[in-house]
Amino acid sequence: MNKLYILAFFVALLAGCSKPSDKIVVATAANVQYVMKEIQQEFEKESGKKMEIVVASSGKLTTQIREGAPFDVFVSADTKYPEEIYKNGGSDQKPEVYATGALVLWSKNIPEADLKPEALTAENIKKIAIPNPKTAPYGEAALQVLNALKIYEQTEKKLVYGESIAQTAQYITTGSAEAGFNALSIVLSPEMKGKGHYVIVDSSLYTPIQQAAILLKHSEDSPKREASEQFYKFLYSAKAKAIFKKYGYK
Amino acid sequence: MDTQPLWLTFKLAGITSVLLLVIALPIAYWLVFGKFKGRGIVEALIGMPLVLPPSVIGFYLLLAFSPSHWFGAVIEEYLGLRLVFSFPGLVIASILYSLPFMIYPIRAGLQSLPASLREASYTLGKTEWQTFTRVLLPNCKPAILTAFVLTFAHTVGEFGVVLMIGGNIPGVTKVASVAIYNEVEALNYPAANAYAMVLFAITFIILLVVYSINNRLLRVRQPA
């Protein structure tokens, strides 16, 4: 009877192990998630290989990669995090910029005509949502805009911080915050179409948001290596560039 | 290390525990001695926070607290208070989130009292209220203490709900668990570790003290 138990235990244990999948895993920053779906479709069609997307904020993905998460490619929202991984020996290749993002001001109820960063000081705007500036480049850019327009002191008390661009979008689209800063790629996605109003922020008010990707060491000695390299190349192809453009990236 | 998130955590846990004790006592009494139909439904509802992911509670509260929703709109209109991204909002969320941790131990304590206690009190002409406050409650001190501390500790450990509705505002909604999360995200491991150690040490000491007190209380009740 006891032997049976032990046997059953091991059977259950082993059931959890399946053969390693040959799908490549792409760690994707939240602002790139929608555009990545389309990139995935194109890549799978072109190469016949399969891929999976894991979405989180760049900071969280970097932490996970440093702790040995099984990702093959990391598509970040900035250049700082991939550099960090490269410095720590997570890759043999330097990260490369694949797109430049644009910042928007977005609101559920305020019409475009009245929507401009200078108007955030108004009485009727009680909360302004921005991504956490410490970990999200779009949050950092939002602070630069407020500082450049010299309205940071007046708006600081209104700021609430989403833990990623995606959560910030949630705060804006639910109307929990009257307005907020976000990525153009998010408001242009099919999922967010028609959810409120947005204006593109003058790009001279913040440092360009250059977004880099990096091919990770993880796939080096695995059967996925070829597919990972193929995907990494595809990310910089003319085809991918056209898709990025459609979502407002430069 | 910025100690503000730690203070905020203990302030939230303290306020939540006190308010919840006041709310939970009558509910527990009613669950044990009340006569009504649909008790199962009420008990299941109270237990929901034990099994629901905090993100579910957080998601629904985010929708309800938002000024676009009738509930959030009414609160804002009449109280001038926006619950999302505010400390009062976190208190309400924590009360819901820790509800079973306060009610269950008190209910168990009341159930374990011999029926003769109540009967004797009534026979001696005490009202229901006097019986409850002067006879029943003093006899389940260990249960109340356990409930209070479990609620406190559970609220200290709250993370998912706060992350959903707090908005990470320093000094207002940025509690220690969220501060740890931020530091890890910013690859700032030493700072995350400092917060984590403090939380670990303080909660361990609290639990240790309470269980020692409780053991002593229980020994008094059971003469060897």
Side-chain angles (χ1 to χ4, degrees):
Chain A
M1 190 65 215
N2 261 347
K3 274 185 193 150
L4 253 182
Y5 265 128
I6 293 166
L7 186 72
F9 174 75
F10 278 106
V11 167
L13 204 64
L14 288 170
C17 317
S18 50
K19 79 171 183 46
S21 142
D22 55 356
K23 269 188 185 172
I24 59 165
V25 183
V26 178
T28 305
N31 83 78
V32 195
Q33 60 182 318
Y34 300 117
V35 77
M36 195 48 81
K37 279 188 197 159
E38 208 161 315
I39 300 252
Q40 173 181 18
Q41 279 172 359
E42 280 300 315
F43 171 73
E44 287 182 347
K45 214 161 65 190
E46 190 172 287
S47 67
K49 306 271 196 313
K50 287 264 172 270
M51 64 177 268
E52 241 178 293
I53 302 173
V54 173
V55 178
S57 69
S58 303
K60 198 180 314 80
L61 291 168
T62 302
T63 306
Q64 290 170 350
I65 289 163
R66 279 177 55 166
E67 301 305 329
F71 302 144
D72 300 300
V73 177
F74 172 37
V75 179
S76 178
D78 67 349
T79 50
K80 191 181 72 187
Y81 283 115
E83 289 287 348
E84 183 86 27
I85 290 166
Y86 174 69
K87 262 193 246 137
N88 276 301
S91 175
D92 304 331
Q93 304 183 29
K94 270 202 152 100
E96 284 176 71
V97 174
Y98 61 90
T100 304
L103 186 73
V104 296
L105 181 60
W106 187 12
S107 166
K108 184 174 185 229
N109 298 320
I110 302 167
E112 275 99 356
D114 307 329
L115 198 57
K116 48 181 181 288
E118 294 86 344
L120 291 173
T121 53
E123 193 74 4
N124 61 348
I125 294 178
K126 295 195 176 67
K127 295 288 176 197
I128 304 161
I130 70 171
N132 185 345
K134 282 209 186 88
T135 53
Y138 286 85
E140 208 180 330
L143 283 192
Q144 288 172 352
V145 170
L146 296 177
N147 277 312
L149 296 169
K150 299 196 169 52
I151 53 171
Y152 177 68
E153 264 81 59
Q154 291 149 277
T155 50
E156 190 192 3
K157 282 266 177 287
K158 303 179 178 186
L159 294 178
V160 299
Y161 306 93
E163 57 108 8
S164 71
I165 199 104
Q167 198 190 28
T168 311
Q170 193 184 49
Y171 287 161
I172 299 166
T173 52
T174 55
S176 306
E178 281 81 0
F181 288 95
N182 219 271
L184 180 57
S185 56
I186 299 279
V187 295
L188 289 179
S189 68
E191 284 82 353
M192 294 292 160
K193 248 205 166 58
K195 290 199 171 170
H197 318 276
Y198 72 92
V199 289
I200 295 175
V201 177
D202 176 357
S203 61
S204 67
L205 296 173
Y206 59 92
T207 320
I209 303 166
Q210 294 198 308
Q211 305 193 181
I214 188 163
L215 182 64
L216 299 168
K217 254 200 180 137
H218 164 77
S219 55
E220 256 184 13
D221 39 8
S222 84
K224 297 194 283 184
R225 180 176 182 160
E226 192 197 340
S228 309
E229 283 176 355
Q230 223 176 341
F231 173 77
Y232 190 68
K233 273 207 191 71
F234 181 80
L235 203 56
Y236 298 92
S237 67
K239 227 180 210 163
K241 281 227 176 346
I243 299 172
F244 278 119
K245 210 172 164 155
K246 200 168 103 184
Y247 281 81
Y249 291 98
K250 283 203 271 296
Chain B
M1 182 171 71
D2 178 13
T3 55
Q4 201 178 39
L6 290 164
W7 282 121
L8 201 60
T9 285
F10 293 117
K11 185 174 127 186
L12 179 66
I15 293 174
T16 301
S17 303
V18 171
L19 287 175
L20 199 46
L21 180 64
V22 176
I23 296 168
L25 284 174
I27 296 179
Y29 181 85
W30 181 64
L31 281 175
V32 176
F33 304 114
K35 292 181 177 39
F36 60 97
K37 282 201 178 71
R39 181 191 303 265
I41 293 172
V42 176
E43 289 190 329
L45 278 176
I46 290 169
M48 283 305 269
L50 283 174
V51 289
L52 275 183
S55 51
V56 172
I57 304 172
F59 174 64
Y60 284 129
L61 286 179
L62 178 69
L63 294 182
F65 286 176
S66 153
S68 318
H69 188 273
W70 67 263
F71 179 80
V74 165
I75 299 277
E76 190 144 351
E77 180 75 24
Y78 293 102
L79 300 177
L81 180 71
R82 184 170 301 186
L83 289 174
V84 66
F85 315 130
S86 74
F87 188 77
L90 291 193
V91 172
I92 293 176
S94 306
I95 285 175
L96 287 171
Y97 170 75
S98 293
L99 196 65
F101 288 79
M102 186 66 91
I103 291 181
Y104 284 171
I106 297 178
R107 187 190 62 174
L110 288 172
Q111 271 169 340
S112 68
L113 296 176
S116 53
L117 260 182
R118 277 172 83 217
E119 287 155 7
S121 174
Y122 288 158
T123 318
L124 293 168
K126 296 281 177 256
T127 62
E128 194 176 7
W129 173 250
Q130 286 170 319
T131 304
F132 180 52
T133 52
R134 305 236 182 120
V135 180
L136 301 183
L137 287 186
N139 274 299
C140 42
K141 266 186 213 142
I144 293 169
L145 188 63
T146 303
F148 191 87
V149 172
L150 277 180
T151 301
F152 188 92
H154 188 237
T155 310
V156 167
E158 191 176 8
F159 171 68
V161 180
V162 180
L163 195 72
M164 296 283 279
I165 64 165
N168 212 341
I169 305 164
V172 182
T173 57
K174 188 178 165 183
V175 297
S177 59
V178 174
I180 290 171
Y181 178 80
N182 286 340
E183 298 299 355
V184 172
E185 286 244 294
L187 308 183
N188 202 347
Y189 294 4
N193 191 34
Y195 284 126
M197 294 291 275
V198 172
L199 275 192
F200 185 95
I202 293 180
T203 41
F204 179 75
I205 290 166
I206 292 174
L207 291 176
L208 189 69
V209 168
V210 166
Y211 287 127
S212 324
I213 295 175
N214 252 2
N215 288 340
R216 207 167 312 150
L217 282 171
L218 290 171
R219 232 171 298 153
V220 171
R221 280 179 48 186
Q222 295 159 341

